[in-house]
């Protein structure tokens, strides 16, 4: 039980993507977990699914739109009231719409930055209030595209490159509180995000360029999230770790 009695908040974890797989992995390692959905319906759906998938787990499902400060403040309050402390934040919520720069409006760009980057910033700022006395682990979700670029995804790549910068700056700033801040940069993970936004030819090309020759499943990533959340990584902060089958090296 590598996360026994630790309390974790995972944004964007109600749908069956990376966040939900990480939630199940954390529960299996003894953590108490807040699964977050962006709306009331997917939050309720996630709770029903969790009851099936992990009937004996200790968890909550809370609606958190990371663009809304009141939602962000609320989820930390709710977790603290239930369990008394918060040890882990996984900034996982994100969107990845594809549009050429010629078609992309200011609003298109802003929406992506607001969810992916400001959302990470907002949740991190709130987490500091709860972690500064006892330390904690904040895990940001970057992407291989922050280092590699991506056709027709300027907002997304910019948002993820900004997360790399936030990770390093926040690690420097928060080390004094024993709060560690790291980022994971996945390659192609076969979730709805990829299936809905990346065409089959591009997925095929990226898989061909990946030495391990396939896209990841969300479960391929879970071990790294557990490592960074746990005390096993007690001297690791400010890193951006690729987990991409060797796509970027
Ligand atoms: P996903 O679409 O299943 O997960 C994204 C989650 O974010 C969803 O649950 C969605 O409801 C939620 N979300 C969207 N807007 C939100 C908002 N305003 N507030 C709160 N939550 C919101 O896709 P995924 O592939 O599991 O992605 C998870 C994370 O991993 C994202 O940050 C994504 O950028 C990153 N990532 C994914 C891949 C990939 O290939 N799938 C690669 C690199 C990085």
């Amino acid at each position: 039980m590598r996360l026994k009695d630790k309390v974790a908040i995972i944004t964007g974890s109600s749908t069956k993507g990376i966040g939900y797989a990480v939630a199940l992995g954390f529960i299996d390692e003894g953590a108490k977990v807040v699964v977050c959905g962006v709306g009331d319906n997917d939050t309720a759906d996630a709770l029903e699914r969790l009851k099936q998938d992990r009937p004996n787990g200790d968890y909550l499902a809370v609606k958190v739109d990371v663009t809304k400060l009141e939602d962000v403040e609320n989820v930390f309050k709710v977790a603290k009231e239930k369990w008394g402390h918060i040890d882990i934040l996984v900034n996982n919520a994100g969107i990845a719409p594809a549009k050429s720069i010629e078609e992309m409006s200011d609003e298109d760009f802003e929406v992506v930055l607001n969810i992916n980057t400001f959302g990470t910033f907002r949740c991190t700022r709130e987490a500091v209030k709860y972690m500064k006395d006892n330390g904690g682990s904040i895990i940001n979700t970057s992407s291989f595209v922050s280092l590699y670029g991506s056709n027709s995804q300027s907002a997304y790549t910019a948002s993820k490159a900004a997360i790399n910068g936030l990770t390093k700056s926040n690690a420097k700033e928060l080390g004094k509180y024993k709060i560690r801040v790291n980022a994971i940069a996945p390659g192609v993970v076969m979730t709805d995000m990829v299936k809905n936004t990346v065409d089959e030819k591009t997925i095929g090309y990226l898989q061909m360029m990946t030495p391990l020759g396939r896209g990841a499943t969300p479960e391929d990533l879970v071990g790294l999230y557990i490592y960074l959340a746990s005390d096993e990584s007690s001297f690791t902060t400010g890193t951006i770790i690729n987990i991409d089958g060797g796509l970027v090296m």
Side-chain angles (χ1 to χ4, degrees):
M1 289 280 181
R2 295 151 78 196
L3 301 176
K4 191 165 169 22
D5 296 330
K6 290 193 188 283
V7 175
I9 294 173
I10 307 172
T11 66
S13 50
S14 63
T15 50
K16 286 187 101 180
I18 296 167
Y20 188 75
V22 171
L24 296 184
F26 280 12
I27 292 167
D28 291 343
E29 291 294 339
K32 303 163 196 307
V33 174
V34 187
V35 167
C36 305
V38 69
D40 289 324
N41 288 345
D42 63 325
T43 306
D45 287 351
L47 188 59
E48 284 314 305
R49 201 172 340 113
L50 274 169
K51 286 181 189 164
Q52 302 285 322
D53 289 343
R54 294 296 182 273
N56 299 318
D58 198 357
Y59 43 75
L60 289 172
V62 178
K63 176 184 137 357
V64 185
D65 180 336
V66 296
T67 67
K68 296 192 174 138
L69 181 59
E70 62 273 22
D71 281 8
V72 171
E73 289 172 340
N74 178 58
V75 68
F76 281 87
K77 256 190 225 143
V78 168
K80 166 96 178 168
E81 273 167 26
K82 178 149 173 79
W83 292 303
H85 53 101
I86 295 153
D87 311 289
I88 301 157
L89 166 67
V90 180
N91 282 310
N92 171 74
I95 58 168
K99 218 177 220 187
S100 76
I101 189 160
E102 292 167 276
E103 291 169 343
M104 190 176 286
S105 66
D106 290 5
E107 291 71 28
D108 292 333
F109 194 86
E110 208 173 312
V111 166
V112 179
L113 270 284
N114 197 17
I115 294 173
N116 298 5
T117 311
F118 275 95
T120 297
F121 160 72
R122 271 184 208 101
C123 293
T124 298
R125 184 180 56 193
E126 197 61 22
V128 174
K129 297 179 192 165
Y130 292 83
M131 292 180 179
K132 65 191 290 186
D133 290 336
N134 297 310
S137 173
I138 297 174
I139 305 170
N140 294 332
T141 309
S142 181
S143 166
F144 77 100
V145 302
S146 69
L147 307 161
Y148 194 81
S150 177
N151 237 333
S152 300
Q153 282 195 314
S154 13
Y156 183 64
T157 49
S159 77
K160 294 298 185 180
I163 285 172
N164 295 349
L166 267 179
T167 302
K168 288 172 187 277
S169 292
N170 293 345
K172 288 193 175 187
E173 197 173 341
L174 300 175
K176 62 178 181 275
Y177 300 132
K178 299 190 172 41
I179 300 174
R180 300 182 294 104
V181 188
N182 295 289
I184 291 176
V188 179
V189 189
M190 300 310 292
T191 62
D192 285 349
M193 176 182 279
V194 163
K195 290 175 199 157
N196 296 337
T197 61
V198 186
D199 61 81
E200 277 183 21
K201 197 171 149 209
T202 306
I203 293 177
Y205 169 77
L206 289 168
Q207 289 183 351
M208 190 186 73
M209 296 302 288
T210 299
L212 292 181
R214 63 175 176 89
T217 64
E219 291 72 23
D220 284 321
L221 277 56
V222 171
L224 181 55
Y225 281 87
I226 292 170
Y227 169 72
L228 287 176
S230 76
D231 296 338
E232 289 166 24
S233 58
S234 56
F235 206 56
T236 302
T237 196
T239 59
I240 293 147
I241 303 182
N242 297 354
I243 180 159
D244 59 9
L247 177 59
V248 178
M249 62 171 87

